Amino acid sequence: RPSFRPLRLADAPPAAALVAMVRLEDDATLGFSRPEMCSEPLAGTAKAPFSRHICMAWGKAEEWPAEVPEGFPAGSLPTKVEATIKEVGQVSGEKVKVTYIEATGNIRDGDVLIFPDYVKISAKADGGLAALKSVLSKRRDPSVARCLEDVEDLDSGFLLVCSHTKRDERCGHCGPRLVEAFLTKGVANAANMQVLKCSHVGGHIYAGNVIAYSGRGTKEGDDGHWYGYVTPAEAALVASGSAARGRLWRGRMGLSEAGAKSEARLKRFWDVAPILVVVTAAAVVVAAIVVQKRKP
């Protein structure tokens, strides 16, 4: 007859062990060791055919509603900013993307960052919405931005890490860990990058998702790179720009799906071109030797 004894508190695993077990389980289903990691080619998966990216600082990443700005209260500042952006867009026809970021450091709630203009506007200021409308209406004319009040230049680069917990658990799990990796390993400082948690960018399956803006003066057509399947071990590659058009690269701002795939193929070609040159040269030398030996 089997005997049972009641479970005693002393038999339970320590709290730290329980936490570790939960983290391992979460990482296996939501994190960097989940089965879908690196299961698809990424080039062309970025939905980025826009010419401007507008990022508004508002609230905490873990508190953002699943749908933004629809989930924000009517009449709140984010809804007013969205209305201003739509008003300008109806006139200009310019394609823009709006993303929400978590305030940190010198980025405060109500601040609006605009890329690739690299300017910051305080939407909370009295003339903030008017300044935003003026900047967006002038199609990236730096002289206009600098003469407006409530508009500041941004001097650093930025890493936007999707951490939108209520939109998808994978982003909520991977995002904060990537932010920590960028900050604790010093790679962001080395690349003069600020690291910000951001809302949904598209492609939950590709978490960790990162968008990189390298800074004012970056060559046109080579900024706003999107990355997926990024792990803490690859933080330095992304921050330095070395991962652009490689296996983690999803595309970049202003580029179509076909364009992204084309740039990735060209990068792969140039990566192997030196090897092909060496092999071809070696084959020519060998052939020449063989011909020389066959001569009477």
Side-chain angles (χ1 to χ4, degrees):
R1 189 178 158 187
S3 60
F4 299 94
R5 66 182 179 86
L7 181 67
R8 297 175 303 173
L9 185 61
D11 297 327
L18 284 173
V19 171
M21 289 167 60
V22 170
R23 285 180 176 174
L24 283 172
E25 183 178 352
D26 284 348
D27 200 59
T29 56
L30 305 173
F32 304 111
S33 60
R34 65 188 191 276
E36 69 193 11
M37 281 291 285
C38 303
S39 60
E40 297 181 16
L42 291 178
T45 61
K47 297 178 180 179
F50 50 85
S51 56
R52 260 187 176 138
H53 193 177
I54 301 168
C55 302
M56 180 180 181
W58 195 256
K60 297 292 184 181
E62 63 270 18
E63 297 172 0
W64 292 327
E67 299 293 334
V68 290
E70 294 82 0
F72 291 131
S76 62
L77 190 57
T79 63
K80 293 179 181 179
V81 168
E82 288 268 354
T84 300
I85 294 168
K86 287 181 179 178
E87 180 186 346
V88 175
Q90 288 173 352
V91 176
S92 68
E94 184 179 28
K95 290 184 177 180
V96 301
K97 180 176 180 63
V98 181
T99 300
Y100 291 87
I101 54 176
E102 183 177 301
T104 184
N106 63 345
I107 308 296
R108 299 176 177 85
D109 262 6
D111 283 351
V112 178
L113 316 185
I114 306 176
F115 303 103
D117 307 67
Y118 285 94
V119 295
K120 178 176 74 172
I121 299 169
S122 173
K124 279 186 173 180
D126 291 339
L129 293 178
L132 175 62
K133 186 174 181 179
S134 297
V135 171
L136 295 180
S137 299
K138 299 302 179 181
R139 288 189 174 272
R140 297 196 298 279
D141 182 348
S143 62
V144 172
R146 292 193 183 99
C147 73
L148 290 169
E149 293 183 5
D150 305 313
V151 178
E152 300 177 33
D153 285 340
L154 295 171
D155 298 322
S156 68
F158 289 84
L159 294 165
L160 309 180
V161 184
C162 184
S163 308
H164 199 158
T165 303
K166 292 184 179 179
R167 185 64 182 263
D168 190 271
E169 289 182 308
R170 289 165 290 192
C171 298
H173 180 92
C174 295
R177 287 159 177 78
L178 277 179
V179 169
E180 183 180 2
F182 281 123
L183 295 175
T184 58
K185 293 186 178 183
V187 294
N189 287 337
N192 190 29
M193 294 282 215
Q194 290 193 56
V195 185
L196 301 171
K197 294 178 181 178
C198 77
S199 62
H200 174 63
V201 299
H204 313 297
I205 191 174
Y206 309 125
N209 284 303
V210 180
I211 301 176
Y213 288 99
S214 299
R216 181 182 295 277
T218 302
K219 181 181 176 183
E220 187 173 354
D222 196 25
D223 205 8
H225 292 282
W226 290 43
Y227 300 96
Y229 295 143
V230 181
T231 70
E234 293 148 336
L237 287 175
V238 171
S240 67
S242 301
R245 301 176 182 86
R247 64 181 180 81
L248 301 175
W249 187 71
R250 298 182 58 191
R252 63 172 172 78
M253 181 173 59
L255 201 60
S256 66
E257 177 183 347
K261 290 180 177 179
S262 178
E263 285 195 9
R265 283 195 299 268
L266 188 61
K267 171 68 161 52
R268 288 195 296 270
F269 170 78
W270 286 115
D271 284 346
V272 300
I275 299 174
L276 293 175
V277 170
V278 171
V279 171
T280 302
V284 170
V285 170
V286 170
I289 294 172
V290 171
V291 170
Q292 187 67 29
K293 286 184 176 182
R294 287 179 179 176
K295 286 183 178 180

